[in-house]
Amino acid sequence: MAAAATSCGAHPSAHAPAPSPDHPATARPAGDAGKPDERALPGTPGWEITDPGPADAIEGFADRVSVLPGEPFGLHVSTGAPAFTVSAYRMGWYGGARARLVWRREHVPGTRQAAPQVDRATRTVLTGWQRTLAVDTAGWPEGAYLLRLDAEDGSGRRYVPLTVRSAVTAGRTVVMSAPATWQAYNEWGGHSLYNGPTGTLATRSLTVVFDRPYDYDHGAGLFLVYEAPLVALAEKLGLELAYTTGIDVAREPGLLKGASAVLSLGHDEYWSPEQRANVAAARDAGTNLAVLGANCCFRRVRFEPTGLGPDRAVVCYKDAWAQDPGHQAGAPATTDFRAGPGADPESALLGVIYDGYPVDAPYVVTSPEHWLFEGTGVTVGASFPHLVGVEYDRVDTGFPTPRPIEVVAHSPVVCEGRRSHSDTAYYTVPSGAGVFASGTMRWVEALDANGPGGGRADHGIDSHAGDLVRRVTENVLRAFAAGPAGRTRPARDNLAAVYGAS
């Protein structure tokens, strides 16, 4: 979630049967002919952590955000237990189990690592932890993974996220994970890019590093809330998928060449200029883009190395950008994309632009005849409580806005007394690419909404909203996987009818 960019104000934020230790189960990335389909293999129930234990019982991090299949990585683990087990679960659908155990190592000696230190200049939390275990990923299929750490004395359990990334994306739908945003919100060690010990911006970090555990969701970062439901649906649909991260997209200009579509997931706020340029180039070459959240591509960051390797630090000085030594040496200012110097509002890529926080409002359909709503049975004015929140985007022609663009859901919101709208929008470009933006941060979360609503689960979003989001997302994914969507589904601009805009 972004701090205030508008008047809406600032935001606050038991194992199943396993393969033999050290021997991965037979598996393959989807689409590799001649081998069993990974998605058809049975899942592994019991992967979820329900009782994590005390905060310091066991925790760890990987020294790589992503690896190619077969590349090794190191685990850095701190625990008071004499030994622990590490299990690698590939996340997906798997008949509803949502994960499959690919690898396990038992009886890894445990040790208590040193307390973290904080760099005085940037207030960066530094661990300096030694590597506990080297892991060989030979035989691991591409995908999103959670490594589960289990202290063998029963004292605690934690996750460590990892992407086994795809080297080639041509003809595939690319799941682009957002670890830079997870790290921005990570308060492990007392500091994030938002808060420090005082709970205010004054003591926040100016740089955060991947060389530490995540404090959210038992070490999973923001993956389980903002990404896992989409991964499950995409794999359930049988799409040809590729997996990567925003950091890899930034590093490799040709990575998205020939991709059918790129998916930005529920909370994807922190991008580098290189990531943005490479995604825009892919769009302009015919690759579709689906933004399944809100507040996407809002913060401009820079990646720097740490002692563990390249791109392990996320630099974002925000309103203190002039103090950034990197900017003083000529790098772009690490502040909001829409802000100077070098302003480049995110709407030029997304079609929509971040408009505020916090809101909780119904989602209102205004163009039920649109292909996005095929199979939903919705009518004009159909309303789905709580689906818009906690941050939202809208079309605003006061900023660069690609045309033609269609607003298909136009949901009234009130953000700290200011009236506005959240927009679901679709635009197309001359290359034929289509760009979809949901306009609400709760989109991916709502994929798992199956209850009666009104309670605390899923923000009170009910199964009716869940059914809508699942079907619209399926329509988007299937259309985008088939090739440049604008060639068969060109946008028909309706801003004059919606906003009175020319």
Side-chain angles (χ1 to χ4, degrees), residues 66-389:
S66 69
V67 294
L68 292 169
E71 285 186 340
F73 67 93
L75 274 177
H76 299 242
V77 178
S78 179
T79 181
F84 66 93
T85 294
V86 55
S87 307
Y89 291 96
R90 184 183 182 277
M91 310 305 292
W93 175 243
Y94 297 111
R98 303 287 284 263
R100 184 179 76 84
L101 181 63
V102 171
W103 175 90
R104 172 174 289 162
R105 172 77 68 85
E106 298 177 334
H107 312 309
V108 180
T111 186
R112 178 70 70 194
Q113 303 261 16
Q117 304 294 315
V118 178
D119 179 82
R120 294 183 63 182
T122 61
R123 299 182 292 276
T124 303
V125 176
L126 305 170
T127 60
W129 289 1
Q130 299 301 303
R131 188 173 72 176
T132 306
L133 176 68
V135 180
D136 181 0
T137 65
W140 293 27
E142 299 166 11
Y145 282 74
L146 288 179
L147 308 176
R148 178 167 157 163
L149 311 176
D150 284 74
E152 292 184 2
D153 63 3
S155 59
R157 291 143 288 276
R158 289 294 187 281
Y159 294 123
V160 175
L162 178 76
T163 297
V164 178
R165 70 181 185 270
S166 306
V168 176
T169 67
R172 301 161 80 181
T173 295
V174 182
V175 178
M176 185 174 63
S177 189
T181 299
W182 308 352
Q183 197 55 250
Y185 286 87
N186 183 17
E187 295 187 357
W188 190 93
H191 294 262
S192 71
L193 287 180
Y194 292 87
N195 298 315
T198 66
T200 66
L201 293 177
T203 55
R204 64 179 170 87
S205 294
L206 302 173
T207 298
V208 291
V209 296
F210 290 102
D211 305 351
R212 58 177 180 156
Y214 288 106
D215 61 344
Y216 284 117
D217 263 351
H218 317 319
L222 302 182
F223 172 78
L224 285 171
V225 173
Y226 292 107
E227 303 198 2
L230 185 281
V231 169
L233 176 62
E235 294 225 337
K236 182 180 181 181
L237 294 177
L239 303 176
E240 291 294 324
L241 300 177
Y243 286 88
T244 192
T245 73
I247 299 169
D248 299 305
V249 170
R251 183 192 304 123
E252 302 178 40
L255 179 60
L256 300 178
K257 183 177 180 179
S260 300
V262 177
L263 309 181
S264 166
L265 307 185
H267 199 176
D268 192 6
E269 180 181 346
Y270 286 74
W271 289 40
S272 70
E274 294 82 5
Q275 178 186 357
R276 177 165 170 177
N278 293 339
V279 171
R283 176 202 61 182
D284 294 343
T287 297
N288 302 303
L289 172 63
V291 180
L292 305 174
N295 189 221
C296 178
C297 192
F298 182 71
R299 305 285 193 188
R300 185 193 295 116
V301 303
R302 182 175 69 254
F303 298 121
E304 292 184 344
T306 71
L308 293 181
D311 302 326
R312 298 286 297 174
V314 183
V315 181
C316 194
Y317 276 63
K318 301 183 181 178
D319 57 359
W321 56 266
Q323 302 172 24
D324 178 4
H327 175 66
Q328 293 169 3
T334 54
T335 185
D336 304 346
F337 271 102
R338 68 179 67 176
D344 187 11
E346 65 270 27
S347 55
L349 175 66
L350 311 179
V352 297
I353 195 160
Y354 170 63
D355 196 55
Y357 164 98
V359 299
D360 180 287
Y363 182 90
V364 180
V365 175
T366 51
S367 297
E369 74 287 349
H370 198 273
W371 66 265
L372 288 164
F373 294 114
E374 287 179 2
T376 65
V378 295
T379 57
V380 174
S383 180
F384 299 87
H386 307 296
L387 183 52
V388 175

Side-chain angles (χ1 to χ4, degrees), residues 411-438:
S411 308
V413 300
V414 178
C415 188
E416 293 193 345
R418 181 175 64 88
R419 295 186 180 277
S420 188
H421 288 84
S422 166
D423 292 328
T424 295
Y426 172 72
Y427 79 85
T428 52
V429 296
S431 70
V435 177
F436 168 84
S438 73

